[in-house]
Amino acid sequence: MGHYLLRRLLTVVPAVLGISVVLFAVLALAPGDPFAEMALNPNVPPEVQENLRKQFGLDDPIWQRYFRWLLAMLHGDWGFSFISRVDVDTLIWSRLPVTLAVIGASQVLALMIALPVGIYSAARPYSWFDRIASTLAFVGFSLPTFFTGLLFILLFSIKLDWLPFVYRADLAATGAEWWVQQFRQSIMPIMVLALFQAAGWTRYVRSATLDVIRLDYVTTARSKGLKERSVILKHVARNAMIPVVTLVALNMPAVFGGAVITEQIFRVPGIGSLLIDAIQRNDTPVVMAVTFVSACLVILFNLIADILYGWLDPRISFR
Amino acid sequence: MEEAELRALIEDVRTEKLPRRSFIERLVGLGLTAPMASMLLMHAGVANSQPAPVYKGTKRGGGGALKTLWWQGPTLLQPHFAGGTKDQEGSRVFYEPLAIWDNDGNLVPILAAEIPTTANGGLLEGGKVVRWRLKKGVTWHDGKPFTADDVVFTWEFVRDPAAACVTIAVYKDVTVTKVDDYTVLVSFKKPTPFWATSFVAAEGMIIPKHLFSPYVGAKSRDAPTNLKPVGTGPYTFVDFKPGDIVLGAANKNYHMPNRPFFDTIEMKGGGDATSAARAVLQTGEYDYAWNLQVEDEVLKRMEAGGKGKVHVVPGGDIEFIQVNITDPWNEVEGERGSVKSKHFAFSDPKVREAMSLLCDKKSMQEFIYGRTGFATANFMNNPERFRSKNTKWEFNIDKANALLDAAGWKRGADGIREKGGKKMKFVYQTSINPTRQKEQAIVKQAAQKAGIDLELKSVSASVFFSSDVANPDTYGKFWADMQMYTTNMTAPDAERFMDQFISSEVSQKANKWNFRNISRYVNPEYDKLAESAKSELDPVKRAATYIKMNDMVVNDFVIIPLISRPRVRGGNLKLVTTLSGWDLDFSALQNWYRESSPG
């Protein structure tokens, strides 16, 4: 186990370096620069742009810029945003809580929907419940989030006037009032994301459970006279959950990365909207930091998923 | 309009034969800005009209929250680093200039005690020195007094090239000296008719010396105050998340009585223009929304919701087409679009004229812009309601056909005109934006009827407007036959604006396509006029020259002005704003209030 972990960690280093090179190269080769807004303003002399290019080191060759970035990164210096001239880590930290809360809540909600529905459907395949659940699941993951988001706004904000559609990270209220307002403004983005995610996961849980439910040991458990409830929960669900755990673990980096489109629709000031703004304005240090951290998290959670897998399923050994 | 006529008009205003407002409207109709027209009057000794802002608030605070939506949220709150208006607006909540421009082009004092005039001894040495008297008893949000030192420091801070301030152009050529604690002198190298640039409006915000003095030059990025502004404005700083939200609270010690009306202010960023319009006009979730670039049809439907209304404020933005008179396709002396080259068709003014006849501005206004754009013939701005009857533009396919026939362009078998084996096929580029693509389609349709084949090309805005030297699709390179975008006449004075056609400003390889004459128009006569305008002491002569220059570029058809775009804002029905087309939205934020019943 120790050896396995060490070997995996060693392979992470070149992978992370490779990712950073690719990301940096793509960003450097992408057209545009962060000064588009200034260019249109006749009062900003071109010298200012040139001066800023020089200050930000945009005129240096790509490889020089890359090594400068890498070196700073190793020192824990993430650089600063070309647009707001604020340190990148400050920007990310200011956006992270919102993303964790909204995306995190939606993932938990999605699991809370997907697990019972998926398992129950598998326990009674082709029953009415299963058919309805399957139909809804297909509808759920065929509808893109930007569509359901707009639909929700149209229904709950405009037609019914129940919920606000602009999300605010700084609510003026305190105490119970704060929770009420927070609930009202978060429910739509959370539901949009949760329903989409739950739809996919339900199908997955169902098929994973179906795989297990037909195995001999389940029949044995039943013939021992165990109650159906404990057969499903203790014997079937536990084993069926092994692949699901991997799937969920692999999805965790998304909690950091945010949901670009949903965040844009509801004006949720999360990592996703930070990333899209940064991309649109060619704010390389921010794009680099967000994408790089996401990539690292993917690698990390892959590793965690593999270890979890072995822990849950003793038949798998690490060598 | 000739100089003599202009003088007669000014005299009429002085003797009160002509209302001040009509004078300004006429000059705006000729393509000047309202502030420029107003400066002419001031120079002639006609006092500023006192547009009493009908502020009805009777006490400070108590107005609740003012919630505004900026679909592009401010990314920084240092007015002199502001990359765009959104950042200037965010800064303006906290910082203030000495004076602002109101919608009639009046200079209104904010931190100044009075507007300098010849009469009050504010304009000295024949226009070379301006004396500003500062308001006494003004304090920064942290309680320190505001004095002349802060004004002088702001100038020192900005003019340092190492600080890379975007407002440097306004400050680098002036000298600012302190006379006493409440008087400063702004000296120009030569007499300057349009002196109200430094410390005025968007680029004039004063920053506190006591907080910024340790952070000048290259260290300026590290100043903690960049993120936590301390100004003199109506609201004090509460919180700021770049690109997301700016929060402020009423300044208890604000220097104007009974102001501000609101207890808190919020600027929320993100999202898009359409949903911002919806939140203000239809659901009333927010009080005010900036820059509603949405089709008028959609806006009207939302207004039917009865929560808010659209404010249309005339300003200086012009949507226009540039016609390439150089050859964008072949390299001459190592560069495409070299000034030495000639365009195969557009080098002939008759062809350019034909092209301009094919731009159906009326349809653009009617079907695309509605209330949010006016067809225009001038390059310098020209809102419809002020339009002089003398300027004209025409949409006439027959006339265009006749012109092209006469110029020797004969229709080929496929209906496309050709001459000397060259087919009349043009590439017409612009940035990606649904409105622009519709405009392109309107021009293409008309061009087809005249035997011109337009290839429409649209480039992502972040690429099109970038100064990226490696990219062939930037507007600065203009490697296409025609291109279209909106230019913002942000400065109230026309000098920088009309620089766009001087030969020394030609955008080319040598200056990394960074210079401002993108149409690469070269006309010695225009250069001469521009040069004479720069050193012209008499503001009347100067104004007459700018009008002539405007006529020159328009009548030479190097550019085809299409639509004058006023500012389109959304406001709650009860919200009373003081908006100016010549300054920031928040330039008179202290006067905003909410009426108790819908007005």
Side-chain angles (χ1 to χ4, degrees):
Chain A
M1 177 78 187
H3 271 286
Y4 173 77
L5 207 62
L6 189 72
R7 212 177 57 229
R8 283 293 299 262
L9 284 176
L10 281 178
T11 54
V12 161
V13 176
V16 165
L17 276 179
I19 289 171
S20 74
V21 170
V22 171
L23 281 177
F24 205 92
V26 168
L27 286 179
L29 294 175
D33 68 14
F35 310 116
E37 215 170 355
M38 275 179 217
L40 272 187
N41 184 344
N43 296 333
V44 181
E47 300 95 87
V48 172
Q49 271 185 49
E50 255 167 61
N51 216 331
L52 283 172
R53 285 188 79 92
K54 218 173 285 160
Q55 258 192 27
F56 295 165
L58 287 177
D59 287 336
D60 301 337
I62 297 179
W63 63 269
Q64 247 177 40
R65 272 150 63 194
Y66 173 74
F67 282 112
R68 199 177 324 125
W69 175 83
L70 191 67
L71 218 69
M73 198 72 179
L74 291 177
H75 284 103
D77 175 7
W78 299 40
F80 62 90
S81 155
F82 291 161
I83 299 295
S84 59
R85 307 197 193 182
V86 174
D87 288 336
V88 172
D89 43 349
T90 320
L91 275 180
I92 291 182
W93 280 117
S94 77
R95 299 296 188 105
L96 198 56
V98 176
T99 292
L100 288 182
V102 172
I103 317 276
S106 72
Q107 303 280 310
V108 171
L109 192 64
L111 263 186
M112 278 162 56
I113 297 171
L115 285 182
V117 172
I119 293 173
Y120 194 80
S121 296
R124 286 171 185 69
Y126 307 108
S127 65
W128 275 110
F129 180 86
D130 183 29
R131 281 179 200 177
I132 293 172
S134 298
T135 313
L136 287 181
F138 280 122
V139 171
F141 64 71
S142 324
L143 288 181
T145 49
F146 67 83
F147 183 76
T148 39
L150 291 179
L151 212 63
F152 275 28
I153 289 180
L154 213 62
L155 186 63
F156 294 111
S157 298
I158 293 167
K159 283 276 176 296
L160 298 171
D161 203 10
W162 289 351
L163 301 170
F165 65 91
V166 177
Y167 185 103
R168 298 182 45 192
D170 300 53
L171 285 173
T174 48
E177 178 63 21
W178 186 88
W179 284 102
V180 171
Q181 285 195 21
Q182 186 65 31
F183 176 78
R184 275 164 47 88
Q185 71 173 5
S186 337
I187 186 72
M188 281 201 290
I190 291 180
M191 286 307 280
V192 163
L193 290 169
L195 291 179
F196 184 73
Q197 190 74 74
W201 280 353
T202 305
R203 295 299 297 167
Y204 200 81
V205 171
R206 180 181 177 273
S207 74
T209 314
L210 271 182
D211 282 346
V212 176
I213 214 162
R214 294 191 195 114
L215 294 182
D216 291 345
Y217 81 93
V218 179
T219 321
T220 314
R222 283 208 180 105
S223 55
K224 271 201 313 193
L226 287 179
K227 280 187 192 136
E228 183 65 14
R229 190 184 155 80
S230 69
V231 171
I232 298 287
L233 288 185
K234 287 203 178 131
H235 297 272
V236 176
R238 266 197 172 174
N239 284 308
M241 282 317 97
I242 296 171
V244 175
V245 165
T246 324
L247 192 71
V248 172
L250 288 182
N251 210 38
M252 282 303 119
V255 176
F256 168 82
V260 171
I261 294 168
T262 313
E263 285 185 8
Q264 198 73 1
I265 292 177
F266 292 100
R267 293 182 161 80
V268 178
I271 302 280
S273 65
L274 177 71
L275 179 65
I276 194 77
D277 277 352
I279 291 175
Q280 277 167 356
R281 294 179 181 138
N282 285 297
D283 195 351
T284 323
V286 177
V287 181
M288 196 63 207
V290 174
T291 46
F292 186 66
V293 171
S294 294
C296 291
L297 284 178
V298 170
I299 293 177
L300 179 72
F301 275 95
N302 252 308
L303 185 60
I304 291 178
D306 284 351
I307 292 168
L308 264 182
Y309 209 89
W311 179 66
L312 286 170
D313 188 347
R315 286 169 300 181
I316 293 169
S317 62
F318 299 107
R319 263 181 303 190
Chain B
M1 186 177 301
E2 290 300 315
E3 187 196 331
E5 252 180 290
L6 213 49
R7 275 189 210 288
L9 275 183
I10 294 174
E11 192 51 33
D12 284 351
V13 182
R14 218 165 60 82
T15 52
E16 293 178 15
K17 264 191 271 175
L18 181 74
R20 178 194 161 83
R21 190 171 260 258
S22 344
F23 171 80
I24 292 189
E25 286 176 8
R26 288 192 54 183
L27 284 204
V28 169
L30 286 166
L32 292 184
T33 65
M36 255 185 107
S38 160
M39 285 299 253
L40 287 181
L41 292 181
M42 279 170 75
H43 191 83
V46 183
N48 254 341
S49 65
Q50 280 313 322
V54 266
Y55 178 70
K56 290 197 192 128
T58 50
K59 66 175 175 64
R60 174 166 299 156
L66 173 62
K67 295 167 80 180
T68 65
L69 271 184
W70 246 252
W71 50 271
Q72 285 183 327
T75 48
L76 50 84
L77 294 180
Q78 217 298 12
H80 299 286
F81 292 160
T85 38
K86 61 185 193 332
D87 303 322
Q88 290 175 331
E89 299 277 6
S91 311
R92 191 61 184 76
V93 173
F94 310 107
Y95 294 107
E96 294 182 309
L98 294 184
I100 56 168
W101 296 109
D102 76 3
N103 207 25
D104 291 331
N106 288 310
L107 213 46
V108 181
I110 297 285
L111 287 176
E114 61 188 11
I115 296 300
T117 57
T118 325
N120 66 21
L123 303 180
L124 309 161
E125 295 176 34
K128 271 174 92 169
V129 177
V130 179
R131 190 193 64 197
W132 286 96
R133 287 204 190 283
L134 310 181
K135 206 168 178 176
K136 289 177 187 166
V138 178
T139 54
W140 294 100
H141 293 156
D142 60 3
K144 297 263 184 341
F146 159 77
T147 66
D149 290 325
D150 297 308
V151 180
V152 177
F153 172 76
T154 301
W155 163 69
E156 283 170 349
F157 180 90
V158 176
R159 78 187 178 118
D160 183 350
C165 291
V166 295
T167 47
I168 189 168
V170 174
Y171 296 92
K172 66 176 184 204
D173 294 328
V174 299
T175 315
V176 180
T177 43
K178 171 184 169 180
V179 178
D180 59 47
D181 271 355
Y182 296 99
T183 316
V184 289
L185 296 181
V186 178
S187 327
F188 297 89
K189 283 187 186 134
K190 56 182 189 207
T192 306
F194 197 95
W195 48 265
T197 49
S198 33
F199 308 123
V200 172
E203 298 179 316
M205 287 180 245
I206 316 281
I207 55 174
K209 180 179 181 180
H210 63 281
L211 294 173
F212 279 103
S213 55
Y215 302 99
V216 291
K219 277 186 294 181
S220 56
R221 196 186 68 82
D222 304 324
T225 321
N226 287 345
L227 294 176
K228 294 185 173 59
V230 174
T232 54
Y235 294 93
T236 56
F237 175 77
V238 174
D239 193 14
F240 171 49
K241 292 200 176 79
D244 172 33
I245 204 163
V246 178
L247 288 177
N251 176 3
K252 299 273 178 340
N253 301 312
Y254 190 56
H255 56 86
M256 294 193 204
N258 300 335
R259 293 172 175 87
F261 176 83
F262 297 98
D263 298 311
T264 57
I265 183 169
E266 170 192 336
M267 276 176 95
K268 167 81 183 169
D272 59 296
T274 314
S275 74
R278 180 167 290 138
V280 170
L281 305 176
Q282 202 169 14
T283 68
E285 208 176 315
Y286 274 74
D287 298 312
Y288 181 78
W290 165 81
N291 205 3
L292 300 182
Q293 289 176 349
V294 181
E295 273 180 63
D296 197 28
E297 196 101 334
V298 179
L299 288 177
K300 275 187 184 144
R301 229 176 313 152
M302 287 176 180
E303 272 179 308
K307 291 278 172 48
K309 60 173 182 282
V310 170
H311 298 277
V312 178
V313 189
D317 295 356
I318 286 271
E319 176 95 346
F320 71 113
I321 293 178
Q322 284 171 334
V323 180
N324 208 339
I325 42 185
T326 62
D327 183 354
W329 306 113
N330 301 302
E331 284 193 7
V332 170
E333 293 188 7
E335 81 179 286
R336 285 166 70 178
S338 153
V339 254
K340 306 235 167 72
S341 63
K342 265 190 168 18
H343 191 273
F344 70 96
F346 284 140
S347 49
D348 180 356
K350 289 290 167 206
V351 177
R352 303 202 291 263
E353 187 180 350
M355 202 64 235
S356 99
L357 287 167
L358 293 172
C359 294
D360 189 356
K361 302 172 189 181
K362 190 154 162 280
S363 295
M364 287 181 194
Q365 179 185 332
E366 268 173 23
F367 299 117
I368 305 178
Y369 287 96
R371 287 173 297 171
T372 66
F374 311 98
T376 183
N378 281 334
F379 184 50
M380 289 199 277
N381 79 90
N382 180 11
E384 164 109 314
R385 66 189 168 105
F386 299 150
R387 197 166 70 214
S388 134
K389 300 281 174 280
N390 307 330
T391 53
K392 62 175 194 304
W393 52 267
E394 206 179 349
F395 167 60
N396 191 334
I397 298 179
D398 296 335
K399 206 168 156 187
N401 269 323
L403 273 172
L404 291 172
D405 286 338
W409 290 88
K410 299 275 174 279
R411 279 181 196 259
D414 53 356
I416 310 289
R417 288 176 188 277
E418 54 183 59
K419 182 180 173 180
K422 276 293 251 183
K423 285 213 174 273
M424 218 169 209
K425 285 185 175 176
F426 300 138
V427 173
Y428 173 18
Q429 71 179 13
T430 188
S431 69
I432 295 180
N433 171 323
T435 313
R436 296 223 164 102
Q437 269 74 72
K438 282 184 195 163
E439 287 171 275
Q440 280 183 314
I442 288 180
V443 178
K444 183 183 165 89
Q445 212 177 6
Q448 223 151 23
K449 289 182 189 153
I452 301 174
D453 185 23
L454 286 186
E455 182 190 324
L456 304 184
K457 176 175 168 186
S458 36
V459 184
S460 157
S462 62
V463 173
F464 190 60
F465 296 121
S466 74
S467 57
D468 186 349
V469 181
N471 198 288
D473 292 331
T474 62
Y475 80 127
K477 284 192 173 156
F478 192 9
W479 287 350
D481 301 295
M482 296 157 68
Q483 71 179 1
M484 174 172 72
Y485 60 94
T486 286
T487 178
N488 309 339
M489 192 163 175
T490 47
D493 188 38
E495 182 177 317
R496 294 278 311 155
F497 197 67
M498 295 312 276
D499 272 0
Q500 290 181 57
F501 304 98
I502 320 184
S503 54
S504 58
E505 281 280 336
V506 166
S507 171
Q508 55 192 343
K509 197 175 182 179
N511 50 47
K512 294 184 185 157
W513 296 278
N514 233 336
F515 278 20
R516 308 202 39 243
N517 185 351
I518 291 166
S519 30
R520 306 189 185 104
Y521 179 63
V522 177
N523 182 342
E525 208 181 328
Y526 183 93
D527 290 351
K528 220 183 290 165
L529 280 179
E531 207 40 57
S532 74
K534 269 181 192 166
S535 51
E536 181 57 66
L537 307 185
D538 184 344
V540 183
K541 262 193 195 147
R542 186 163 172 269
T545 314
Y546 280 125
I547 294 172
K548 213 182 279 172
M549 285 159 68
N550 172 53
D551 290 353
M552 199 177 273
V553 281
V554 174
N555 294 337
D556 230 358
F557 306 102
V558 269
I559 48 156
I560 307 169
L562 298 175
I563 298 285
S564 161
R565 297 172 63 177
R567 299 182 182 182
V568 182
R569 308 294 190 249
N572 189 286
L573 285 181
K574 291 180 188 172
L575 181 73
V576 182
T577 55
T578 337
L579 297 176
S580 163
W582 311 107
D583 206 329
L584 296 173
D585 284 24
F586 281 164
S587 61
L589 180 64
Q590 75 276 3
N591 293 337
W592 290 27
Y593 67 99
R594 204 192 307 272
E595 276 180 341
S596 33
S597 60

